Amino acid sequence: MRQTGLHDGRATEPGEHEAPRRGLLLLMAVATGLSAAGNYIAQPLLDLISHDLRLGSLLAGLVVTASQAGYALGLLLLVPLGDVIDRRRLAVTLFLATAGFLGVSALAPSGPVLLAGTVLAALTSVGAQVVVAHAAALATAATRGRAVATVMSGVLLGGLLARTAAGGLSELGGWRTVYWVLAALMTGAAAVLHRRLPYLAVTADLRYPALLRSTLSLLREESVLRRRALLGALSFASYSVQLTALTFLLAGAPFRWAAPAIGLFGLVGAVGILSMTFAARLSDSGHAQHVAGAATALLLTGWLLLLAGERSLVWLAVGVVALNIGQQAVLNSSQTILFALDAEARNRINSAFATSLFVGGAIGSALASVVWAAAGWPGACALGAALATGAVTVWAWDRARPAHRPHISP
């Protein structure tokens, strides 16, 4: 199988086209950020939704769970399609579908309808991952890490900023306004992507069942992907422990912060996202393994700083920044390596990797809640450090193993 592209009417082979312009990458980053935001806007709105739709606390909490479940399904079921369908058309279709399902949620007269709209919007929000893979395909080998980092920064910033923006919009017009505004922005993003996103033809010829089997077989057959997926899962699990436990810490003594203030403190993590370009430049220069090693060590160091931050906001902020830089560097260096494995299987590779990442994050969050109840902040720090130690160990194991070409099942 071979993948070809068309640029200004001229067919090109992978690696022959010019690197995408920075303006296009920033446009793609904004689009992916909007898509990712839909999975987080409900979190600060749960109380308003619960009162308006007369939901119990359990059903209201299921809105967040429904979003996570829908996104996981989308990673497995929809992202691989980018290897057999024009990614531009697939991304635009998914963005429009997400806008429509956000509209369903905005009009929801009851909890079940809201849950259905939430699951479906999360399912199609993986259009962001399709755009990330498209950025990797558009870039040359020498710029792929930076291209992916730029677009992925949109995904990560979208998740960080969504909660704050949703809270502000709900103050102006209620919780339904948040969904309507995002639906309108997603529709606009789809139109712009349709107009600006370059076309890349695909020649892979797989039926959908075979495509899914191929995706699932990647983790079994390709050792590089398997090790990188485990590294990503452990690092994101460690990072997710911080996201969960930090909320508990800041809400209690000695800080006793309200939810809006806790949300704003989370924006400290944006510093880590801004560091992705520097890590990507090193990865593009052939130092992806060294970047990953330094990143996992920084994750472990970050937990030592966070332990000291139990009663010090300064050490807490420094620790959060360290964890964010470490996690984003692990993510970018891993994607730089994985996207170079096989041009015709990038979406399947990304599907397998992102699903592993998501599972790790969910496990980390769940463990954090359990450990917090039993041992508080010191226990959470010990858990996060243990997971980071696991990530360091996997990195050392990965570095000691030779790289292999992938065995993509037809």
Side-chain angles (χ1 to χ4, degrees):
M1 295 186 296
R2 302 181 72 187
Q3 185 179 38
T4 60
L6 291 175
H7 294 269
D8 298 324
R10 182 178 62 86
T12 62
E13 293 293 328
E16 290 183 355
H17 52 69
E18 296 181 359
R21 295 180 182 273
R22 182 164 179 78
L24 174 62
L25 291 175
L26 290 176
L27 170 64
M28 296 166 75
V30 171
T32 58
L34 291 172
S35 186
N39 295 321
Y40 299 94
I41 57 173
Q43 293 181 5
L45 307 176
L46 291 180
D47 187 57
L48 294 174
I49 292 172
S50 179
H51 281 90
D52 186 38
L53 299 181
R54 295 180 175 84
L55 307 179
S57 58
L58 177 60
L59 190 56
L62 285 176
V63 173
V64 175
T65 304
S67 181
Q68 294 173 335
Y71 188 74
L73 285 174
L75 288 173
L76 285 171
L77 301 179
L78 297 180
V79 171
L81 288 170
D83 287 334
V84 294
I85 297 176
D86 167 27
R87 290 193 193 100
R88 180 181 64 179
R89 184 176 65 181
L90 178 60
V92 169
T93 300
L94 290 175
F95 270 60
L96 288 174
T98 302
F101 293 134
L102 287 168
V104 170
S105 295
L107 292 169
S110 63
V113 175
L114 177 64
L115 287 174
T118 298
V119 169
L120 293 171
L123 180 77
T124 55
S125 71
V126 296
Q129 293 297 334
V130 174
V131 174
V132 171
H134 199 63
L138 290 171
T140 62
T143 62
R144 184 169 293 122
R146 278 166 284 176
V148 171
T150 299
V151 179
M152 274 300 299
S153 67
V155 176
L156 300 168
L157 280 172
L160 277 176
L161 297 175
R163 301 174 182 89
T164 303
L169 284 172
S170 66
E171 290 289 328
L172 297 175
W175 69 270
R176 296 179 191 272
T177 299
V178 180
Y179 284 87
W180 282 124
V181 169
L182 185 56
L185 290 173
M186 286 293 291
T187 302
V192 175
L193 287 178
H194 177 71
R195 183 178 180 84
R196 295 288 307 280
L197 206 60
Y199 169 72
L200 286 175
V202 291
T203 58
D205 185 17
L206 289 174
R207 294 184 181 276
Y208 186 64
L211 184 70
L212 294 185
R213 286 196 300 270
S214 175
T215 303
L216 295 175
S217 70
L218 281 170
L219 284 170
R220 182 181 71 253
E221 297 176 356
E222 175 46 47
S223 59
V224 174
L225 174 59
R226 190 164 56 248
R227 295 193 297 269
R228 283 286 156 175
L230 181 57
L231 173 62
L234 285 168
S235 66
F236 198 52
S238 178
Y239 176 74
S240 297
V241 169
Q242 172 255 146
L243 291 178
T244 300
L246 186 64
T247 300
F248 295 141
L249 177 69
L250 292 176
F255 302 103
R256 301 192 185 283
W257 284 13
I262 294 174
L264 287 173
F265 185 80
L267 295 181
V268 171
V271 175
I273 297 173
L274 297 176
S275 71
M276 285 183 70
T277 301
F278 175 70
R281 287 182 181 276
L282 292 176
S283 294
D284 284 337
S285 300
H287 301 293
Q289 276 284 19
H290 295 97
V291 170
T296 54
L298 188 58
L299 280 173
L300 185 56
T301 303
W303 278 109
L304 300 177
L305 297 171
L306 286 172
L307 181 61
E310 185 174 13
R311 294 185 176 277
S312 170
L313 199 59
V314 173
W315 284 116
L316 202 61
V318 173
V320 168
V321 170
L323 250 68
N324 273 273
I325 293 175
Q327 169 55 29
Q328 308 320 328
V330 168
L331 175 62
N332 181 258
S333 60
S334 294
Q335 287 182 313
T336 299
I337 290 172
L338 294 175
F339 281 139
L341 290 177
D342 192 301
E344 295 184 354
R346 284 194 178 112
N347 280 75
R348 281 169 283 168
I349 290 170
N350 196 34
S351 172
F353 176 69
T355 300
S356 300
L357 204 75
F358 181 87
V359 170
I363 292 173
S365 295
L367 289 176
S369 298
V370 174
V371 171
W372 177 270
W377 183 249
C381 290
L383 172 63
L387 291 167
T389 300
V392 172
T393 303
V394 172
W395 169 79
W397 173 43
D398 182 55
R399 189 179 182 213
R401 302 277 295 182
H404 299 288
R405 289 294 302 164
H407 307 289
I408 307 301
S409 299

